Amino acid sequence: MSDSETEKEQEASDNESVVEESAEIKNESEDKPVSWKDLGLVDILCKACEQLKWKEPSKIQRESIPVALQGKDVIGLAETGSGKTAAFALPILQSLLQNPQRYFALILTPTRELAFQISEQFEALGSSIGVKCAVIVGGMDMMSQALILAKKPHILIATPGRLLDHLQNTKGFSLRALKYLVMDEADRILNMDFEVEVDKILKVIPRERRTFLFSATMTKKVKKLQRACLNDPVKVEVSTKYQTVEKLQQYYIFIPVKFKDVYLVHILNEMAGNSFMIFCSTCNNTIRTALILRNLGLTAVPLHGQMSQNKRLAALTKFKAKNRSILISTDVASRGLDIPHVDVVINFDIPTHSKDYIHRVGRTARAGRSGQAITFVTQYDVELYQRIEQLIGKQLPLYKTEDDEVMALQERVAESQRIAKMEIKDLSDKKGKRKKGGDEDDDTEGATGVRKRLKGKGGNKKTARRK
């Protein structure tokens, strides 16, 4: 071999080692924690994040904030509880600081509760810069909302239906100068058949704007929406498959359908001291379950779509403030809601759509905390349960119970079921007579009269003796 060939080989090996070293350096830099400052945020917003005790950005925030600050449209795909709200809120607030303007940004959300939560996060992050937010959702008085809109807030957080009502009927209200549009939980917005409303809203806001589209899943409808309203977007995908967080312990329990209430009471007693979210499939079942648990001395509060907005907010506030340890809800609370202290999620009724399982159990084990999820599977739910296991790619362990201990509660639970049935009848009888405005505690409070009557007959004393 000649000297020149030897030199070339040596040079090639040197180059390879340089490439390897640079790759190692790159990997090391990727492993290093990134600060809020590194993302390009101004000091005042970095300080706001620190005050909220956010030590470092999450994956979706690291990926999407720098792109958004460059003025590009963003499609963000990430699982629930990943910090999506701050991922769009921080770039919008930084842009607002540089170019102050009323009606600066519009955030569309599928549910009222999520709208209020997003507003709280905007106000927390923007408190030092005087950001004004308005929440425009159904179930509230149109006239008082029109007065709020007349004050021209910087940020509007709205559900599509009610926003369209105001755009069509509220004099002097328009979004012709809007700079940012965000669609949060876009897949859910479209699944709830808001397509027509979204199309109409897109026609009356400027084409020259920045658009952020955040979704847990990339459905056909979301792809169609992306083509319609985004301009050369950057796609940021944190999670490519459906998954649950590592710190979540998941179990299933196989039981006959007629003993579901008994097993629920047993688990709540066994895990007393924890904070629970229980998911039911219907509004009626949330009320029925809440009444059964209340009659047994457990502090439960229902949350469902047929409650007035004030009552829904009151129920959430009580649970967040830990005045109630059990929140019984339909899927209205399965998306986006961040309640830090939820220890256990119970799927009392198995979700019909497997993807809803991911969102439900995502209410616990958030932001690095641990949590548990227990799914009730009856003889009629086996196929639905198998779909969930297939989706998440794992077989869940059985939650172990002693049948004798559980069935010892049967008599007490049966008595509570009987009282709850009478209370529900009383509720439906009074529904037409009750005043508007909701001065009762929530949708189960109208049953107080039944409890008093039963007490006079010795019904509650009988239950108390069994306790």
Side-chain angles (χ1 to χ4, degrees):
M1 191 185 285
S2 67
D3 290 345
S4 62
E5 284 176 334
T6 309
E7 279 172 20
K8 279 178 185 175
E9 276 188 15
Q10 185 63 43
E11 195 178 319
S13 69
D14 288 347
N15 287 343
E16 278 175 22
S17 64
V18 168
V19 169
E20 283 170 12
E21 277 175 29
S22 64
E24 279 174 23
I25 291 164
K26 191 179 177 186
N27 287 337
E28 279 175 26
S29 67
E30 281 174 3
D31 292 338
K32 281 181 184 175
V34 178
S35 71
W36 296 104
K37 185 88 175 167
D38 295 337
L39 299 181
L41 292 172
V42 293
D43 289 342
I44 197 165
L45 291 176
C46 292
K47 199 174 281 184
C49 294
E50 285 161 18
Q51 284 170 349
L52 291 170
K53 296 192 169 73
W54 296 349
K55 291 175 185 173
E56 58 185 55
S58 68
K59 284 183 189 173
I60 188 73
Q61 291 158 359
R62 285 201 299 269
E63 298 284 332
S64 62
I65 289 174
V67 175
L69 290 173
Q70 288 167 22
K72 294 183 177 175
D73 285 3
V74 176
I75 298 170
L77 296 177
E79 69 267 20
T80 183
S82 58
K84 287 183 281 185
T85 308
F88 60 75
L90 288 164
I92 287 171
L93 290 172
Q94 182 146 318
S95 183
L96 180 63
L97 267 171
Q98 293 159 358
N99 179 25
Q101 179 197 305
R102 299 294 181 167
Y103 294 145
F104 187 74
L106 166 66
I107 291 88
L108 290 178
T109 79
T111 67
R112 303 168 188 180
E113 285 72 29
L114 188 51
F116 281 99
Q117 186 174 288
I118 291 169
S119 173
E120 284 169 15
Q121 201 146 101
F122 263 100
E123 284 170 357
L125 288 167
S127 58
S128 55
I129 57 174
V131 168
K132 297 282 182 287
C133 300
V135 178
I136 304 299
V137 296
M140 309 290 271
D141 180 51
M142 282 276 288
M143 192 57 70
S144 58
Q145 285 180 346
L147 293 171
I148 292 166
L149 290 172
K151 292 176 183 174
K152 298 190 174 180
H154 303 107
I155 313 289
L156 272 180
I157 303 107
T159 47
R162 179 51 63 94
L163 180 75
L164 190 62
D165 285 347
H166 281 288
L167 284 167
Q168 292 173 339
N169 303 313
T170 300
K171 198 174 179 183
F173 171 57
S174 96
L175 294 172
R176 283 193 289 268
L178 193 77
K179 292 289 184 284
Y180 280 85
L181 170 68
V182 179
M183 275 177 273
D184 191 25
E185 303 283 4
D187 52 342
R188 183 89 188 275
I189 289 174
L190 299 173
N191 282 345
M192 290 170 78
D193 295 328
F194 282 129
E195 278 183 271
V196 175
E197 287 87 345
V198 169
D199 285 342
K200 287 179 180 176
I201 291 165
L202 290 173
K203 283 173 186 169
V204 296
I205 61 174
R207 288 193 173 187
E208 293 298 314
R209 62 167 195 271
R210 296 277 63 81
T211 306
F212 301 154
L213 192 146
F214 282 82
S215 179
T217 55
M218 180 53 92
T219 61
K220 285 179 184 175
K221 287 181 178 179
V222 174
K223 281 182 182 170
K224 184 181 167 188
L225 185 64
Q226 168 201 330
R227 289 196 295 273
C229 71
L230 275 77
N231 179 27
D232 192 21
V234 176
K235 188 176 178 183
V236 176
E237 193 164 5
V238 169
S239 176
T240 51
K241 67 186 182 73
Y242 299 107
Q243 60 185 33
T244 50
V245 293
E246 288 173 18
K247 288 195 175 182
L248 176 66
Q249 296 174 303
Q250 300 170 79
Y251 303 94
Y252 80 95
I253 184 165
F254 190 65
I255 47 176
V257 70
K258 66 178 179 178
F259 295 133
K260 276 176 84 174
D261 292 336
V262 186
Y263 274 85
L264 177 64
V265 173
H266 171 74
I267 287 170
L268 294 174
N269 284 340
E270 195 179 54
M271 302 177 80
N274 286 302
S275 177
F276 299 87
M277 278 187 82
I278 300 169
F279 284 99
C280 297
S281 56
T282 65
C283 300
N284 284 343
N285 209 17
T286 62
I287 297 169
R288 187 195 71 85
T289 310
L291 288 170
I292 288 169
L293 297 182
R294 282 186 180 188
N295 290 331
L296 292 165
L298 297 163
T299 56
V301 61
L303 175 69
H304 57 79
Q306 289 176 8
M307 291 165 72
S308 71
Q309 189 55 38
N310 287 336
K311 287 181 182 178
R312 282 162 73 165
L313 285 174
L316 260 182
T317 304
K318 283 174 191 170
F319 185 63
K320 281 184 174 180
K322 302 186 182 180
N323 293 334
R324 300 286 188 276
S325 61
I326 303 164
L327 182 70
I328 304 169
S329 175
T330 55
D331 279 317
V332 77
S334 70
R335 287 281 192 122
L337 291 187
D338 185 21
I339 304 165
H341 64 85
V342 177
D343 303 309
V344 185
V345 166
I346 297 176
N347 289 305
F348 186 67
D349 293 329
I350 200 162
T352 313
H353 302 291
S354 309
K355 290 171 194 172
D356 287 336
Y357 174 84
I358 305 280
H359 297 296
R360 285 182 179 189
V361 300
R363 298 310 98 216
T364 186
R366 295 174 74 82
R369 290 180 290 267
S370 59
Q372 286 182 285
I374 301 167
T375 300
F376 283 28
V377 184
T378 71
Q379 63 268 42
Y380 307 111
D381 305 322
V382 175
E383 193 180 334
L384 289 172
Y385 176 70
Q386 286 172 337
R387 280 186 213 159
I388 289 167
E389 284 195 330
Q390 196 174 354
L391 181 77
I392 61 176
K394 61 170 81 168
Q395 285 193 324
L396 302 186
L398 179 70
Y399 184 85
K400 288 175 182 167
T401 54
E402 293 293 332
D403 288 348
D404 294 344
E405 285 179 24
V406 177
M407 297 320 289
L409 296 164
Q410 190 181 358
E411 197 179 341
R412 272 177 57 202
V413 173
E415 176 72 1
S416 184
Q417 287 170 329
R418 188 183 67 79
I419 297 167
K421 197 173 181 182
M422 292 176 68
E423 288 174 333
I424 288 166
K425 186 178 183 301
D426 186 65
L427 271 173
S428 58
D429 291 345
K430 284 187 176 180
K431 205 165 188 179
K433 299 173 188 176
R434 280 196 312 218
K435 290 178 185 177
K436 290 180 182 177
D439 52 352
E440 281 108 8
D441 185 42
D442 54 52
D443 274 19
T444 64
E445 289 301 308
T448 312
V450 177
R451 288 201 188 101
K452 284 177 182 172
R453 291 201 299 276
L454 281 164
K455 202 170 184 181
K457 293 176 184 176
N460 274 6
K461 287 174 189 171
K462 192 175 178 184
T463 313
R465 277 202 304 275
R466 284 173 184 158
K467 287 180 188 178

